Amino acid sequence: MPSIAVKLYSVFFKFLLKHRLQNRIQTHVDESSNPYGVTTRPEESVSAANPSFTDGIATKDIHIDPTTTALSVRIFLPESSLSPPEQPEPKSKSGSSQRDEPKSRYDRRNSYPNVGAPTDDPRRCSFKGLSFRSDSNVYRGYSPLPQNCRRLPIILQFHGGGWVSGSNESVANDVFCRRIAKLCDVIVVAVGYRLAPENKYPAAFEDGLKVLHWLAKQANLAECSKSMGSGALGVGAEFTKAQVQRHIVDAFGATMVEPWLAAHGDPSRCVLLGVSCGANIADYVARKAVEAGKLLNPVKVVAQVLMYPFFIGNVPTRSEINLANSYFYDKAMCLLAWKLFLPEQEFSLDHPAANPLIPDRAPPLKLMPPTLTVVAELDWMRDRAIAYSETLRKVNVDAPVLEYKDAVHEFATLDMLLNTPQAQACAEDIAIWVKKYISLRGHEFSY
């Protein structure tokens, strides 16, 4: 059973959540009055983006749809991305490896390429177009040549919060994404989708799909800029007036190459990871990716991770009956959240956004990517998530379930529980499975 501290915090959490949900129902804002949308709540603590490699991860925020919605992403870039691609050590004339020679290309004290060093500095790296401010470890790279950079898989992450709260910039989500980025050795792109009731269904789902298309666009833009030559975008180049204007637009993340992804991202190894209601978004995006097929090239969704998905249905499962009053997110409060999210005329617990197993839902499940499902023993939503996983396995999709004993909903992502051994173990288990599908050919990870 959960500890006394968890039980007490759950009581306080449920009281506060119920109060907030009821307030939002009473002060409901019609979406037409705020088309721009809301992605954060004033009562939630957020973590500022930090382009320096704090704990080995640099972050930055980008508004990718600045003229229409508040849609934004936070990019988590591991310091390991600055290592050059693995290749044989060149030999010196004496026959020894250059690594043994005193003039190294890398500053061993800081473990990143010291691009800002003078041209005659032995620590100067051959990464073209990268920019560092070495006094603070701030990474300001712009369009380096791909062959000089390590390409990392990309995890598209959707936070939880019952549709009406949560943020990709929250302290808890920031900690979780940093953990996943380090354990999986990937670039994490956390999506700040629009919240209800200001923007009801399908706003959050459309935002998730829009980010996937944005990744494809970024990959194609990066390829175009590469074919035009690195000088067109490189540091220190002369810019025409039109190019300057394009760079100004790029500051808002709208139409130009995003340098971190261009330099270090490998969109052909893309994983979707959703937390709670974010798992519903991830599953929707995965379905749309299957339907799009090659139209998304070079982006390829190779797997998805559904962490305690926010599934529900009209016919209750055993856990929905026996655990209806469970910890943190009980069934009554989740129903309130669904009423805030779904348009009144569409409200149904068998809505396609709520129930993944309704008949005739496209595309065929046999075409879905490998799907890891994480469930908690004390979560009332667990049985439907397990049933979805079992259905995927029946059509030969790799769809294992990780169930954690005495765990509650959001046990690995809730602020109070983030540092528990169970939360850490869950992140490590996810990394083990994900590496099966993101490892390069010849370096596959198995378990």
Side-chain angles (χ1 to χ4, degrees):
M1 293 295 290
S3 66
I4 297 296
V6 170
K7 291 179 179 179
L8 291 174
Y9 185 68
S10 174
V11 172
F12 171 75
F13 181 92
K14 288 165 73 172
F15 172 80
L16 195 60
L17 180 60
K18 183 178 181 180
H19 177 70
R20 288 174 178 171
L21 288 174
Q22 289 175 339
N23 280 345
R24 287 183 189 129
I25 290 176
Q26 293 170 1
T27 59
H28 172 66
V29 180
D30 185 75
E31 63 177 331
S32 62
S33 65
N34 190 358
Y36 192 69
V38 172
T39 58
T40 58
R41 300 293 183 192
E43 68 270 13
E44 296 176 350
S45 59
V46 297
S47 175
N50 185 357
S52 62
F53 286 98
T54 305
D55 280 341
I57 303 292
T59 61
K60 75 156 112 174
D61 295 329
I62 301 173
H63 285 275
I64 68 171
D65 191 16
T67 59
T68 308
T69 69
L71 178 60
S72 65
V73 297
R74 171 165 290 186
I75 301 176
F76 296 79
L77 180 71
E79 194 170 12
S80 61
S81 63
L82 301 183
S83 302
E86 292 183 8
Q87 47 189 307
E89 286 287 337
K91 296 289 184 178
S92 65
K93 292 181 180 179
S94 62
S96 62
S97 169
Q98 287 186 0
R99 181 175 295 178
D100 300 325
E101 297 180 5
K103 291 189 176 182
S104 172
R105 295 190 339 175
Y106 298 95
D107 185 348
R108 303 295 182 187
R109 296 170 299 173
N110 295 310
S111 71
Y112 57 79
N114 200 327
V115 183
T119 54
D120 58 346
D121 194 314
R123 297 174 295 166
R124 183 172 178 81
C125 177
S126 63
F127 283 70
K128 296 182 180 179
L130 290 178
S131 175
F132 258 94
R133 199 174 72 200
S134 57
D135 58 334
S136 60
N137 285 11
V138 174
Y139 182 50
R140 304 178 183 276
Y142 200 85
S143 297
L145 296 177
Q147 62 267 27
N148 289 331
C149 299
R150 186 162 174 243
R151 314 288 287 189
L152 297 181
I154 297 172
I155 288 185
L156 208 59
Q157 189 262 358
F158 306 94
H159 65 80
W163 309 117
V164 298
S165 61
S167 167
N168 66 330
E169 301 173 3
S170 71
V171 174
N173 199 66
D174 189 85
V175 171
F176 173 72
C177 288
R178 286 174 177 272
R179 179 175 293 169
I180 290 296
K182 283 195 282 189
L183 288 173
C184 296
D185 197 21
V186 298
I187 298 172
V188 174
V189 178
V191 181
Y193 56 85
R194 289 169 289 172
L195 302 176
E198 291 85 353
N199 289 87
K200 291 178 174 285
Y201 172 88
F205 286 72
E206 290 175 342
D207 288 350
L209 185 58
K210 186 176 290 187
V211 174
L212 190 68
H213 283 285
W214 176 78
L215 282 180
K217 180 180 178 181
Q218 284 297 316
N220 289 320
L221 284 172
E223 188 63 26
C224 288
S225 67
K226 173 187 169 185
S227 64
M228 290 189 303
S230 60
L233 295 172
V235 175
E238 294 184 3
F239 294 94
T240 66
K241 183 177 180 180
Q243 287 175 317
V244 170
Q245 290 173 341
R246 290 168 69 193
H247 277 269
I248 292 173
V249 173
D250 181 46
F252 296 95
T255 60
M256 283 298 290
V257 176
E258 202 303 300
W260 290 10
L261 295 179
H264 308 291
D266 181 358
S268 68
R269 294 181 288 159
C270 181
V271 176
L272 307 177
L273 188 155
V275 176
S276 189
C277 65
N280 297 43
I281 301 174
D283 189 62
Y284 169 84
V285 174
R287 290 173 184 265
K288 291 300 181 181
V290 170
E291 291 177 350
K294 294 182 179 180
L295 294 176
L296 274 174
N297 283 348
V299 171
K300 183 179 180 182
V301 175
V302 297
Q304 67 170 340
V305 179
L306 308 179
M307 299 182 68
Y308 21 83
F310 212 61
F311 295 153
I312 197 170
N314 272 324
V315 180
T317 64
R318 181 177 298 180
S319 65
E320 289 172 358
I321 297 171
N322 297 337
L323 298 171
N325 195 33
S326 56
Y327 300 95
F328 294 101
Y329 293 90
D330 61 32
K331 188 172 182 178
M333 281 189 293
C334 290
L335 285 173
L336 284 178
W338 276 109
K339 287 179 180 179
L340 286 168
F341 177 63
L342 293 176
E344 187 175 351
Q345 64 274 18
E346 294 184 35
F347 182 80
S348 168
L349 297 185
D350 279 338
H351 191 283
N355 190 347
L357 294 174
I358 58 172
D360 303 321
R361 191 178 179 197
L365 289 181
K366 65 181 181 180
L367 300 178
M368 290 294 285
T371 301
L372 173 67
T373 303
V374 175
V375 296
E377 183 186 24
L378 302 178
D379 182 5
W380 66 270
M381 292 175 271
R382 62 182 289 276
D383 281 0
R384 200 172 300 273
I386 293 173
Y388 181 45
S389 181
E390 289 173 346
T391 306
L392 288 172
R393 289 199 296 276
K394 288 178 182 177
V395 291
N396 297 319
V397 175
D398 182 19
V401 174
L402 294 177
E403 182 173 8
Y404 293 83
K405 185 176 176 60
D406 292 334
V408 299
H409 190 78
E410 288 224 40
F411 72 92
T413 46
L414 203 63
D415 50 2
M416 181 192 180
L417 304 175
L418 266 173
N419 294 321
T420 61
Q422 203 170 38
Q424 179 68 37
C426 178
E428 292 170 355
D429 292 341
I430 289 172
I432 290 172
W433 185 81
V434 163
K435 285 179 179 179
K436 287 175 56 180
Y437 295 99
I438 62 175
S439 297
L440 293 172
R441 184 171 296 180
H443 299 275
E444 288 84 356
F445 191 94
S446 60
Y447 67 101

